[in-house]
Amino acid sequence: MGTTFVEPNRPVIRGLTYASQPDFLSQFAGWVESALMKRRTRLQLGKLSDEGLKDLALTRDHVEADLDRYLSA
């Protein structure tokens, strides 16, 4: 891979050089990490007691509806 030349006093336009393109694998890894974190959070909310959910201003119905939507998609 060669060096990327940026001309001074000119704005850098995204997409013109390979160096400015986001790496597909890092984007995919970020997406997978985000999806796994959301899944863990939803499952942990489902394990909380009603008192724990009350502290978070949630009800069991809200959590179960969210889990149903998540698992059915």
Side-chain angles (χ1 to χ4, degrees):
M1 194 148 106
T3 59
T4 302
F5 177 76
V6 177
E7 192 173 330
N9 301 324
R10 294 199 65 180
V12 176
I13 300 172
R14 227 173 131 66
L16 290 183
T17 62
Y18 176 79
S20 68
Q21 295 296 318
D23 184 18
F24 174 76
L25 287 178
S26 65
Q27 274 188 330
F28 182 72
W31 177 83
V32 168
E33 181 182 6
S34 174
L36 289 174
M37 188 184 319
K38 287 179 186 177
R39 180 178 186 273
R40 278 193 307 269
T41 303
R42 286 185 171 113
L43 293 176
Q44 288 171 346
L45 280 175
K47 292 179 182 178
L48 284 177
S49 66
D50 289 335
E51 290 299 316
L53 292 173
K54 186 177 178 182
D55 290 342
L56 297 172
L58 294 172
T59 64
R60 176 72 47 204
D61 293 335
H62 287 111
V63 172
E64 288 178 359
D66 189 47
L67 279 172
D68 288 343
R69 265 196 321 268
Y70 175 71
L71 296 175
S72 67

Short mmCIF file of all heavy atoms in Angstrom, two decimals:
data_model
loop_
_atom_site.label_atom_id
_atom_site.label_comp_id
_atom_site.label_asym_id
_atom_site.label_seq_id
_atom_site.Cartn_x
_atom_site.Cartn_y
_atom_site.Cartn_z
N MET A 1 0.84 -1.16 0.00
CA MET A 1 0.00 0.00 0.00
C MET A 1 0.89 1.24 0.00
O MET A 1 1.83 1.32 0.78
CB MET A 1 -0.88 -0.04 1.24
CG MET A 1 -2.01 0.92 1.18
SD MET A 1 -3.40 0.26 2.07
CE MET A 1 -3.38 1.22 3.51
N GLY A 2 0.61 2.18 -0.85
CA GLY A 2 1.43 3.37 -0.95
C GLY A 2 0.99 4.44 0.03
O GLY A 2 0.05 4.29 0.78
N THR A 3 1.72 5.53 0.02
CA THR A 3 1.39 6.63 0.92
C THR A 3 0.26 7.45 0.32
O THR A 3 0.04 7.45 -0.89
CB THR A 3 2.62 7.53 1.14
OG1 THR A 3 3.04 8.01 -0.12
CG2 THR A 3 3.74 6.75 1.80
N THR A 4 -0.46 8.13 1.17
CA THR A 4 -1.55 8.98 0.73
C THR A 4 -1.09 10.42 0.82
O THR A 4 -0.62 10.86 1.86
CB THR A 4 -2.79 8.77 1.61
OG1 THR A 4 -3.15 7.40 1.57
CG2 THR A 4 -3.95 9.61 1.13
N PHE A 5 -1.23 11.16 -0.26
CA PHE A 5 -0.81 12.54 -0.29
C PHE A 5 -2.03 13.42 -0.07
O PHE A 5 -3.03 13.28 -0.75
CB PHE A 5 -0.17 12.87 -1.64
CG PHE A 5 0.21 14.31 -1.75
CD1 PHE A 5 1.33 14.81 -1.10
CD2 PHE A 5 -0.55 15.19 -2.50
CE1 PHE A 5 1.68 16.13 -1.20
CE2 PHE A 5 -0.20 16.52 -2.60
CZ PHE A 5 0.92 17.00 -1.95
N VAL A 6 -1.95 14.30 0.90
CA VAL A 6 -3.01 15.26 1.14
C VAL A 6 -2.46 16.63 0.81
O VAL A 6 -1.46 17.07 1.38
CB VAL A 6 -3.48 15.22 2.62
CG1 VAL A 6 -4.54 16.27 2.86
CG2 VAL A 6 -3.98 13.85 2.97
N GLU A 7 -3.09 17.29 -0.12
CA GLU A 7 -2.62 18.60 -0.56
C GLU A 7 -3.03 19.65 0.47
O GLU A 7 -4.19 19.72 0.87
CB GLU A 7 -3.23 18.93 -1.92
CG GLU A 7 -2.57 20.11 -2.56
CD GLU A 7 -3.09 20.31 -3.98
OE1 GLU A 7 -3.47 19.33 -4.62
OE2 GLU A 7 -3.12 21.46 -4.41
N PRO A 8 -2.08 20.45 0.94
CA PRO A 8 -2.41 21.49 1.92
C PRO A 8 -3.37 22.52 1.32
O PRO A 8 -3.42 22.74 0.11
CB PRO A 8 -1.06 22.13 2.25
CG PRO A 8 -0.02 21.41 1.48
CD PRO A 8 -0.68 20.43 0.59
N ASN A 9 -4.14 23.13 2.19
CA ASN A 9 -5.08 24.19 1.83
C ASN A 9 -6.22 23.71 0.93
O ASN A 9 -6.86 24.52 0.28
CB ASN A 9 -4.36 25.37 1.16
CG ASN A 9 -3.30 25.97 2.04
OD1 ASN A 9 -3.47 26.03 3.26
ND2 ASN A 9 -2.19 26.37 1.46
N ARG A 10 -6.44 22.42 0.87
CA ARG A 10 -7.59 21.90 0.12
C ARG A 10 -8.33 20.95 1.04
O ARG A 10 -7.72 20.19 1.78
CB ARG A 10 -7.14 21.14 -1.12
CG ARG A 10 -6.48 22.10 -2.11
CD ARG A 10 -6.43 21.56 -3.46
NE ARG A 10 -7.78 21.40 -3.99
CZ ARG A 10 -8.03 20.93 -5.18
NH1 ARG A 10 -7.06 20.57 -5.97
NH2 ARG A 10 -9.25 20.80 -5.61
N PRO A 11 -9.65 21.00 1.02
CA PRO A 11 -10.40 20.11 1.90
C PRO A 11 -10.24 18.65 1.47
O PRO A 11 -10.11 18.35 0.28
CB PRO A 11 -11.85 20.57 1.72
CG PRO A 11 -11.87 21.25 0.40
CD PRO A 11 -10.50 21.83 0.20
N VAL A 12 -10.21 17.78 2.45
CA VAL A 12 -10.14 16.36 2.15
C VAL A 12 -11.55 15.88 1.85
O VAL A 12 -12.48 16.11 2.61
CB VAL A 12 -9.57 15.59 3.36
CG1 VAL A 12 -9.58 14.10 3.09
CG2 VAL A 12 -8.17 16.07 3.66
N ILE A 13 -11.70 15.24 0.70
CA ILE A 13 -13.02 14.74 0.29
C ILE A 13 -13.06 13.25 0.56
O ILE A 13 -12.24 12.50 0.03
CB ILE A 13 -13.29 15.05 -1.19
CG1 ILE A 13 -13.25 16.56 -1.41
CG2 ILE A 13 -14.64 14.48 -1.60
CD1 ILE A 13 -13.32 16.97 -2.84
N ARG A 14 -13.98 12.84 1.41
CA ARG A 14 -14.08 11.45 1.79
C ARG A 14 -14.43 10.58 0.60
O ARG A 14 -15.25 10.94 -0.22
CB ARG A 14 -15.17 11.30 2.84
CG ARG A 14 -14.76 10.48 3.99
CD ARG A 14 -15.79 10.48 5.07
NE ARG A 14 -16.09 9.15 5.50
CZ ARG A 14 -15.24 8.37 6.12
NH1 ARG A 14 -14.04 8.80 6.37
NH2 ARG A 14 -15.56 7.17 6.51
N GLY A 15 -13.80 9.44 0.52
CA GLY A 15 -14.12 8.49 -0.53
C GLY A 15 -13.19 8.53 -1.72
O GLY A 15 -13.32 7.71 -2.61
N LEU A 16 -12.27 9.47 -1.75
CA LEU A 16 -11.39 9.56 -2.91
C LEU A 16 -10.16 8.66 -2.78
O LEU A 16 -9.58 8.28 -3.78
CB LEU A 16 -10.94 11.01 -3.13
CG LEU A 16 -12.03 11.94 -3.61
CD1 LEU A 16 -11.45 13.33 -3.86
CD2 LEU A 16 -12.68 11.43 -4.88
N THR A 17 -9.77 8.37 -1.56
CA THR A 17 -8.59 7.53 -1.39
C THR A 17 -8.95 6.32 -0.57
O THR A 17 -9.91 6.33 0.21
CB THR A 17 -7.46 8.29 -0.66
OG1 THR A 17 -7.94 8.64 0.64
CG2 THR A 17 -7.05 9.53 -1.41
N TYR A 18 -8.19 5.27 -0.73
CA TYR A 18 -8.43 4.04 0.02
C TYR A 18 -8.27 4.29 1.52
O TYR A 18 -8.99 3.73 2.33
CB TYR A 18 -7.48 2.94 -0.44
CG TYR A 18 -7.61 1.69 0.38
CD1 TYR A 18 -8.65 0.80 0.13
CD2 TYR A 18 -6.74 1.41 1.41
CE1 TYR A 18 -8.81 -0.34 0.90
CE2 TYR A 18 -6.88 0.27 2.16
CZ TYR A 18 -7.91 -0.61 1.90
OH TYR A 18 -8.06 -1.73 2.66
N ALA A 19 -7.34 5.15 1.89
CA ALA A 19 -7.06 5.39 3.30
C ALA A 19 -8.26 5.99 4.02
O ALA A 19 -8.40 5.82 5.22
CB ALA A 19 -5.86 6.30 3.43
N SER A 20 -9.13 6.67 3.31
CA SER A 20 -10.28 7.28 3.98
C SER A 20 -11.49 6.36 4.03
O SER A 20 -12.48 6.70 4.65
CB SER A 20 -10.65 8.59 3.29
OG SER A 20 -11.15 8.32 1.99
N GLN A 21 -11.41 5.20 3.38
CA GLN A 21 -12.52 4.26 3.41
C GLN A 21 -12.49 3.46 4.71
O GLN A 21 -11.45 2.99 5.12
CB GLN A 21 -12.45 3.29 2.22
CG GLN A 21 -12.64 3.95 0.88
CD GLN A 21 -14.01 4.55 0.73
OE1 GLN A 21 -14.99 3.94 1.12
NE2 GLN A 21 -14.08 5.73 0.18
N PRO A 22 -13.65 3.32 5.37
CA PRO A 22 -13.66 2.52 6.59
C PRO A 22 -13.41 1.05 6.27
O PRO A 22 -13.83 0.55 5.24
CB PRO A 22 -15.07 2.72 7.14
CG PRO A 22 -15.88 3.23 6.01
CD PRO A 22 -14.93 3.90 5.05
N ASP A 23 -12.70 0.38 7.13
CA ASP A 23 -12.37 -1.01 6.94
C ASP A 23 -13.63 -1.86 7.16
O ASP A 23 -14.26 -1.78 8.20
CB ASP A 23 -11.27 -1.41 7.92
CG ASP A 23 -10.80 -2.83 7.72
OD1 ASP A 23 -11.06 -3.39 6.65
OD2 ASP A 23 -10.17 -3.36 8.64
N PHE A 24 -13.99 -2.66 6.17
CA PHE A 24 -15.22 -3.45 6.23
C PHE A 24 -15.21 -4.40 7.42
O PHE A 24 -16.21 -4.52 8.13
CB PHE A 24 -15.42 -4.23 4.94
CG PHE A 24 -16.58 -5.17 4.99
CD1 PHE A 24 -17.87 -4.69 4.90
CD2 PHE A 24 -16.39 -6.53 5.17
CE1 PHE A 24 -18.95 -5.55 4.97
CE2 PHE A 24 -17.46 -7.40 5.25
CZ PHE A 24 -18.74 -6.90 5.15
N LEU A 25 -14.09 -5.05 7.66
CA LEU A 25 -14.04 -6.01 8.77
C LEU A 25 -14.20 -5.32 10.12
O LEU A 25 -14.87 -5.86 11.01
CB LEU A 25 -12.73 -6.80 8.73
CG LEU A 25 -12.63 -7.84 7.62
CD1 LEU A 25 -11.27 -8.52 7.65
CD2 LEU A 25 -13.74 -8.87 7.73
N SER A 26 -13.63 -4.14 10.28
CA SER A 26 -13.79 -3.44 11.56
C SER A 26 -15.23 -2.96 11.72
O SER A 26 -15.76 -2.97 12.83
CB SER A 26 -12.81 -2.28 11.68
OG SER A 26 -13.07 -1.30 10.73
N GLN A 27 -15.88 -2.55 10.64
CA GLN A 27 -17.29 -2.17 10.72
C GLN A 27 -18.15 -3.37 11.09
O GLN A 27 -19.03 -3.28 11.95
CB GLN A 27 -17.79 -1.63 9.38
CG GLN A 27 -17.54 -0.17 9.18
CD GLN A 27 -18.24 0.32 7.92
OE1 GLN A 27 -18.43 -0.41 6.96
NE2 GLN A 27 -18.62 1.57 7.92
N PHE A 28 -17.88 -4.51 10.45
CA PHE A 28 -18.64 -5.72 10.74
C PHE A 28 -18.42 -6.17 12.18
O PHE A 28 -19.37 -6.52 12.88
CB PHE A 28 -18.23 -6.83 9.76
CG PHE A 28 -19.01 -8.10 9.97
CD1 PHE A 28 -20.33 -8.18 9.60
CD2 PHE A 28 -18.40 -9.20 10.53
CE1 PHE A 28 -21.06 -9.34 9.80
CE2 PHE A 28 -19.10 -10.38 10.73
CZ PHE A 28 -20.43 -10.45 10.37
N ALA A 29 -17.18 -6.12 12.64
CA ALA A 29 -16.88 -6.50 14.03
C ALA A 29 -17.59 -5.57 15.01
O ALA A 29 -18.11 -6.02 16.03
CB ALA A 29 -15.38 -6.48 14.26
N GLY A 30 -17.64 -4.29 14.70
CA GLY A 30 -18.36 -3.33 15.55
C GLY A 30 -19.84 -3.62 15.59
O GLY A 30 -20.48 -3.52 16.65
N TRP A 31 -20.40 -3.98 14.44
CA TRP A 31 -21.83 -4.32 14.38
C TRP A 31 -22.12 -5.57 15.21
O TRP A 31 -23.09 -5.60 15.97
CB TRP A 31 -22.25 -4.53 12.92
CG TRP A 31 -23.68 -4.93 12.80
CD1 TRP A 31 -24.77 -4.10 12.80
CD2 TRP A 31 -24.19 -6.26 12.69
NE1 TRP A 31 -25.91 -4.84 12.69
CE2 TRP A 31 -25.59 -6.17 12.62
CE3 TRP A 31 -23.59 -7.52 12.64
CZ2 TRP A 31 -26.40 -7.29 12.50
CZ3 TRP A 31 -24.40 -8.63 12.53
CH2 TRP A 31 -25.79 -8.51 12.45
N VAL A 32 -21.28 -6.60 15.08
CA VAL A 32 -21.47 -7.84 15.85
C VAL A 32 -21.35 -7.55 17.34
O VAL A 32 -22.17 -8.03 18.14
CB VAL A 32 -20.46 -8.92 15.40
CG1 VAL A 32 -20.46 -10.09 16.35
CG2 VAL A 32 -20.77 -9.38 13.99
N GLU A 33 -20.35 -6.76 17.72
CA GLU A 33 -20.17 -6.43 19.14
C GLU A 33 -21.40 -5.70 19.69
O GLU A 33 -21.87 -5.99 20.78
CB GLU A 33 -18.92 -5.57 19.30
CG GLU A 33 -18.63 -5.19 20.73
CD GLU A 33 -17.41 -4.30 20.85
OE1 GLU A 33 -16.84 -3.88 19.82
OE2 GLU A 33 -17.03 -4.02 21.99
N SER A 34 -21.92 -4.76 18.91
CA SER A 34 -23.11 -4.01 19.33
C SER A 34 -24.32 -4.93 19.46
O SER A 34 -25.09 -4.84 20.43
CB SER A 34 -23.39 -2.90 18.32
OG SER A 34 -24.58 -2.25 18.62
N ALA A 35 -24.51 -5.83 18.50
CA ALA A 35 -25.64 -6.75 18.55
C ALA A 35 -25.55 -7.69 19.75
O ALA A 35 -26.55 -7.96 20.42
CB ALA A 35 -25.70 -7.57 17.25
N LEU A 36 -24.35 -8.17 20.06
CA LEU A 36 -24.17 -9.06 21.21
C LEU A 36 -24.41 -8.32 22.52
O LEU A 36 -24.99 -8.86 23.46
CB LEU A 36 -22.78 -9.68 21.20
CG LEU A 36 -22.54 -10.73 20.13
CD1 LEU A 36 -21.07 -11.17 20.12
CD2 LEU A 36 -23.45 -11.93 20.32
N MET A 37 -23.99 -7.06 22.59
CA MET A 37 -24.21 -6.28 23.79
C MET A 37 -25.70 -6.04 24.01
O MET A 37 -26.20 -6.15 25.14
CB MET A 37 -23.47 -4.94 23.70
CG MET A 37 -23.50 -4.15 25.00
SD MET A 37 -22.74 -2.52 24.94
CE MET A 37 -21.29 -2.79 23.97
N LYS A 38 -26.43 -5.73 22.94
CA LYS A 38 -27.88 -5.53 23.07
C LYS A 38 -28.56 -6.82 23.52
O LYS A 38 -29.46 -6.80 24.35
CB LYS A 38 -28.47 -5.08 21.74
CG LYS A 38 -28.15 -3.66 21.38
CD LYS A 38 -28.74 -3.29 20.05
CE LYS A 38 -28.32 -1.92 19.61
NZ LYS A 38 -28.82 -1.58 18.28
N ARG A 39 -28.11 -7.94 22.98
CA ARG A 39 -28.70 -9.23 23.34
C ARG A 39 -28.46 -9.52 24.82
O ARG A 39 -29.37 -9.91 25.55
CB ARG A 39 -28.09 -10.34 22.49
CG ARG A 39 -28.64 -11.71 22.80
CD ARG A 39 -28.01 -12.76 21.88
NE ARG A 39 -28.63 -14.04 22.07
CZ ARG A 39 -28.25 -14.93 22.99
NH1 ARG A 39 -27.25 -14.65 23.79
NH2 ARG A 39 -28.87 -16.08 23.10
N ARG A 40 -27.22 -9.32 25.28
CA ARG A 40 -26.91 -9.57 26.70
C ARG A 40 -27.75 -8.67 27.60
O ARG A 40 -28.27 -9.12 28.63
CB ARG A 40 -25.43 -9.32 26.96
CG ARG A 40 -24.53 -10.46 26.62
CD ARG A 40 -23.14 -10.27 27.19
NE ARG A 40 -22.53 -9.01 26.84
CZ ARG A 40 -21.76 -8.82 25.78
NH1 ARG A 40 -21.50 -9.80 24.96
NH2 ARG A 40 -21.24 -7.63 25.53
N THR A 41 -27.89 -7.41 27.22
CA THR A 41 -28.66 -6.47 28.03
C THR A 41 -30.12 -6.90 28.12
O THR A 41 -30.71 -6.89 29.19
CB THR A 41 -28.56 -5.05 27.43
OG1 THR A 41 -27.20 -4.68 27.36
CG2 THR A 41 -29.32 -4.04 28.25
N ARG A 42 -30.69 -7.30 27.00
CA ARG A 42 -32.09 -7.73 27.00
C ARG A 42 -32.29 -8.99 27.85
O ARG A 42 -33.25 -9.09 28.60
CB ARG A 42 -32.57 -7.98 25.57
CG ARG A 42 -32.78 -6.70 24.80
CD ARG A 42 -33.37 -6.99 23.44
NE ARG A 42 -33.76 -5.77 22.79
CZ ARG A 42 -33.18 -5.28 21.71
NH1 ARG A 42 -32.18 -5.92 21.15
NH2 ARG A 42 -33.61 -4.17 21.17
N LEU A 43 -31.37 -9.92 27.73
CA LEU A 43 -31.48 -11.15 28.52
C LEU A 43 -31.29 -10.87 30.01
O LEU A 43 -31.97 -11.46 30.85
CB LEU A 43 -30.48 -12.19 28.03
CG LEU A 43 -30.75 -12.74 26.62
CD1 LEU A 43 -29.63 -13.68 26.19
CD2 LEU A 43 -32.09 -13.43 26.55
N GLN A 44 -30.39 -9.95 30.34
CA GLN A 44 -30.19 -9.60 31.75
C GLN A 44 -31.41 -8.89 32.31
O GLN A 44 -31.78 -9.10 33.47
CB GLN A 44 -28.95 -8.72 31.91
CG GLN A 44 -27.66 -9.48 31.71
CD GLN A 44 -26.44 -8.57 31.66
OE1 GLN A 44 -26.57 -7.36 31.51
NE2 GLN A 44 -25.27 -9.16 31.76
N LEU A 45 -32.05 -8.04 31.52
CA LEU A 45 -33.28 -7.39 31.97
C LEU A 45 -34.36 -8.42 32.24
O LEU A 45 -35.15 -8.30 33.18
CB LEU A 45 -33.78 -6.37 30.94
CG LEU A 45 -33.11 -5.02 30.92
CD1 LEU A 45 -33.64 -4.18 29.77
CD2 LEU A 45 -33.34 -4.29 32.24
N GLY A 46 -34.41 -9.46 31.41
CA GLY A 46 -35.41 -10.50 31.59
C GLY A 46 -35.20 -11.29 32.87
O GLY A 46 -36.15 -11.86 33.42
N LYS A 47 -33.98 -11.32 33.38
CA LYS A 47 -33.68 -12.07 34.61
C LYS A 47 -33.90 -11.26 35.88
O LYS A 47 -33.90 -11.80 36.97
CB LYS A 47 -32.23 -12.55 34.58
CG LYS A 47 -31.99 -13.61 33.53
CD LYS A 47 -30.53 -14.04 33.53
CE LYS A 47 -30.28 -15.06 32.44
NZ LYS A 47 -28.86 -15.46 32.40
N LEU A 48 -34.10 -9.95 35.74
CA LEU A 48 -34.30 -9.11 36.92
C LEU A 48 -35.65 -9.40 37.57
O LEU A 48 -36.62 -9.75 36.90
CB LEU A 48 -34.23 -7.63 36.56
CG LEU A 48 -32.87 -7.04 36.30
CD1 LEU A 48 -33.00 -5.58 35.86
CD2 LEU A 48 -31.99 -7.13 37.53
N SER A 49 -35.71 -9.18 38.87
CA SER A 49 -36.98 -9.33 39.58
C SER A 49 -37.86 -8.12 39.28
O SER A 49 -37.41 -7.11 38.73
CB SER A 49 -36.72 -9.43 41.09
OG SER A 49 -36.21 -8.20 41.56
N ASP A 50 -39.11 -8.22 39.70
CA ASP A 50 -40.03 -7.10 39.49
C ASP A 50 -39.57 -5.86 40.25
O ASP A 50 -39.74 -4.74 39.77
CB ASP A 50 -41.44 -7.48 39.92
CG ASP A 50 -42.08 -8.48 38.96
OD1 ASP A 50 -41.66 -8.52 37.79
OD2 ASP A 50 -42.99 -9.22 39.38
N GLU A 51 -38.97 -6.07 41.41
CA GLU A 51 -38.45 -4.93 42.19
C GLU A 51 -37.28 -4.26 41.46
O GLU A 51 -37.15 -3.05 41.44
CB GLU A 51 -38.02 -5.39 43.59
CG GLU A 51 -39.18 -5.77 44.49
CD GLU A 51 -40.12 -4.60 44.73
OE1 GLU A 51 -39.66 -3.48 44.98
OE2 GLU A 51 -41.34 -4.83 44.64
N GLY A 52 -36.41 -5.07 40.88
CA GLY A 52 -35.28 -4.52 40.13
C GLY A 52 -35.74 -3.74 38.91
O GLY A 52 -35.20 -2.68 38.59
N LEU A 53 -36.77 -4.26 38.23
CA LEU A 53 -37.32 -3.55 37.08
C LEU A 53 -38.00 -2.25 37.52
O LEU A 53 -37.94 -1.24 36.81
CB LEU A 53 -38.31 -4.44 36.33
CG LEU A 53 -37.69 -5.64 35.63
CD1 LEU A 53 -38.79 -6.54 35.07
CD2 LEU A 53 -36.76 -5.20 34.53
N LYS A 54 -38.65 -2.29 38.68
CA LYS A 54 -39.31 -1.09 39.19
C LYS A 54 -38.29 0.02 39.43
O LYS A 54 -38.56 1.19 39.17
CB LYS A 54 -40.04 -1.44 40.48
CG LYS A 54 -40.88 -0.35 41.04
CD LYS A 54 -41.61 -0.83 42.29
CE LYS A 54 -42.42 0.28 42.90
NZ LYS A 54 -43.08 -0.18 44.13
N ASP A 55 -37.08 -0.36 39.92
CA ASP A 55 -36.02 0.63 40.13
C ASP A 55 -35.59 1.29 38.82
O ASP A 55 -35.13 2.43 38.81
CB ASP A 55 -34.80 -0.02 40.78
CG ASP A 55 -35.06 -0.42 42.22
OD1 ASP A 55 -36.02 0.11 42.82
OD2 ASP A 55 -34.31 -1.26 42.74
N LEU A 56 -35.73 0.56 37.72
CA LEU A 56 -35.37 1.09 36.40
C LEU A 56 -36.56 1.72 35.67
O LEU A 56 -36.47 2.07 34.51
CB LEU A 56 -34.78 -0.02 35.53
CG LEU A 56 -33.49 -0.65 36.03
CD1 LEU A 56 -33.15 -1.87 35.19
CD2 LEU A 56 -32.37 0.35 36.01
N ALA A 57 -37.69 1.81 36.37
CA ALA A 57 -38.93 2.37 35.81
C ALA A 57 -39.44 1.52 34.64
O ALA A 57 -39.94 2.05 33.65
CB ALA A 57 -38.74 3.83 35.40
N LEU A 58 -39.28 0.20 34.77
CA LEU A 58 -39.79 -0.73 33.76
C LEU A 58 -40.77 -1.70 34.41
O LEU A 58 -40.74 -1.89 35.63
CB LEU A 58 -38.65 -1.54 33.14
CG LEU A 58 -37.62 -0.78 32.31
CD1 LEU A 58 -36.47 -1.70 31.94
CD2 LEU A 58 -38.27 -0.22 31.06
N THR A 59 -41.61 -2.29 33.60
CA THR A 59 -42.50 -3.34 34.10
C THR A 59 -42.16 -4.64 33.40
O THR A 59 -41.51 -4.65 32.35
CB THR A 59 -43.98 -2.99 33.83
OG1 THR A 59 -44.19 -2.95 32.42
CG2 THR A 59 -44.37 -1.67 34.46
N ARG A 60 -42.59 -5.74 33.97
CA ARG A 60 -42.35 -7.05 33.39
C ARG A 60 -42.97 -7.10 31.99
O ARG A 60 -42.39 -7.69 31.07
CB ARG A 60 -42.95 -8.12 34.30
CG ARG A 60 -42.88 -9.52 33.79
CD ARG A 60 -41.53 -10.15 33.78
NE ARG A 60 -40.81 -9.97 35.02
CZ ARG A 60 -39.48 -10.03 35.09
NH1 ARG A 60 -38.75 -10.25 34.03
NH2 ARG A 60 -38.87 -9.85 36.24
N ASP A 61 -44.13 -6.49 31.79
CA ASP A 61 -44.79 -6.48 30.48
C ASP A 61 -43.92 -5.81 29.42
O ASP A 61 -43.83 -6.28 28.29
CB ASP A 61 -46.16 -5.80 30.55
CG ASP A 61 -47.15 -6.57 31.39
OD1 ASP A 61 -46.99 -7.80 31.53
OD2 ASP A 61 -48.08 -5.92 31.92
N HIS A 62 -43.30 -4.69 29.79
CA HIS A 62 -42.44 -3.99 28.83
C HIS A 62 -41.25 -4.86 28.42
O HIS A 62 -40.90 -4.94 27.25
CB HIS A 62 -41.92 -2.67 29.43
CG HIS A 62 -42.94 -1.60 29.52
ND1 HIS A 62 -43.41 -1.16 30.72
CD2 HIS A 62 -43.57 -0.89 28.57
CE1 HIS A 62 -44.31 -0.22 30.51
NE2 HIS A 62 -44.43 -0.03 29.21
N VAL A 63 -40.64 -5.49 29.40
CA VAL A 63 -39.45 -6.31 29.13
C VAL A 63 -39.83 -7.52 28.29
O VAL A 63 -39.14 -7.85 27.31
CB VAL A 63 -38.79 -6.74 30.46
CG1 VAL A 63 -37.68 -7.75 30.20
CG2 VAL A 63 -38.24 -5.53 31.18
N GLU A 64 -40.94 -8.18 28.63
CA GLU A 64 -41.35 -9.35 27.86
C GLU A 64 -41.75 -8.98 26.43
O GLU A 64 -41.45 -9.71 25.49
CB GLU A 64 -42.49 -10.07 28.57
CG GLU A 64 -42.02 -10.79 29.81
CD GLU A 64 -43.14 -11.47 30.57
OE1 GLU A 64 -44.31 -11.37 30.14
OE2 GLU A 64 -42.84 -12.09 31.60
N ALA A 65 -42.39 -7.83 26.25
CA ALA A 65 -42.74 -7.38 24.90
C ALA A 65 -41.49 -7.10 24.08
O ALA A 65 -41.41 -7.46 22.90
CB ALA A 65 -43.62 -6.12 24.98
N ASP A 66 -40.49 -6.48 24.73
CA ASP A 66 -39.23 -6.21 24.03
C ASP A 66 -38.51 -7.50 23.66
O ASP A 66 -37.99 -7.65 22.56
CB ASP A 66 -38.33 -5.32 24.89
CG ASP A 66 -37.11 -4.84 24.14
OD1 ASP A 66 -37.27 -4.38 22.99
OD2 ASP A 66 -36.00 -4.93 24.69
N LEU A 67 -38.49 -8.46 24.58
CA LEU A 67 -37.87 -9.76 24.30
C LEU A 67 -38.60 -10.49 23.18
O LEU A 67 -37.98 -11.09 22.31
CB LEU A 67 -37.84 -10.61 25.56
CG LEU A 67 -36.72 -10.32 26.54
CD1 LEU A 67 -36.92 -11.11 27.82
CD2 LEU A 67 -35.37 -10.64 25.93
N ASP A 68 -39.94 -10.43 23.18
CA ASP A 68 -40.70 -11.09 22.12
C ASP A 68 -40.40 -10.47 20.76
O ASP A 68 -40.23 -11.16 19.77
CB ASP A 68 -42.21 -10.99 22.41
CG ASP A 68 -42.63 -11.90 23.55
OD1 ASP A 68 -41.87 -12.82 23.89
OD2 ASP A 68 -43.73 -11.67 24.09
N ARG A 69 -40.32 -9.13 20.72
CA ARG A 69 -39.99 -8.45 19.45
C ARG A 69 -38.60 -8.83 19.00
O ARG A 69 -38.34 -9.07 17.83
CB ARG A 69 -40.06 -6.92 19.64
CG ARG A 69 -41.35 -6.31 19.27
CD ARG A 69 -41.24 -4.80 19.09
NE ARG A 69 -40.38 -4.14 20.05
CZ ARG A 69 -40.78 -3.62 21.20
NH1 ARG A 69 -42.05 -3.69 21.54
NH2 ARG A 69 -39.93 -3.02 22.00
N TYR A 70 -37.66 -8.87 19.96
CA TYR A 70 -36.26 -9.18 19.62
C TYR A 70 -36.11 -10.63 19.14
O TYR A 70 -35.44 -10.90 18.15
CB TYR A 70 -35.38 -8.93 20.84
CG TYR A 70 -33.96 -9.34 20.64
CD1 TYR A 70 -33.13 -8.63 19.79
CD2 TYR A 70 -33.43 -10.46 21.28
CE1 TYR A 70 -31.81 -8.99 19.60
CE2 TYR A 70 -32.12 -10.83 21.09
CZ TYR A 70 -31.32 -10.10 20.24
OH TYR A 70 -30.03 -10.48 20.04
N LEU A 71 -36.74 -11.56 19.83
CA LEU A 71 -36.58 -12.97 19.48
C LEU A 71 -37.37 -13.36 18.24
O LEU A 71 -37.03 -14.31 17.56
CB LEU A 71 -36.98 -13.85 20.67
CG LEU A 71 -36.10 -13.69 21.91
CD1 LEU A 71 -36.64 -14.51 23.06
CD2 LEU A 71 -34.65 -14.09 21.60
N SER A 72 -38.43 -12.62 17.91
CA SER A 72 -39.24 -12.96 16.73
C SER A 72 -38.67 -12.38 15.44
O SER A 72 -39.03 -12.81 14.36
CB SER A 72 -40.68 -12.48 16.91
OG SER A 72 -40.72 -11.06 16.92
N ALA A 73 -37.77 -11.43 15.55
CA ALA A 73 -37.21 -10.80 14.34
C ALA A 73 -36.19 -11.66 13.66
O ALA A 73 -35.69 -12.61 14.04
CB ALA A 73 -36.56 -9.46 14.70
#
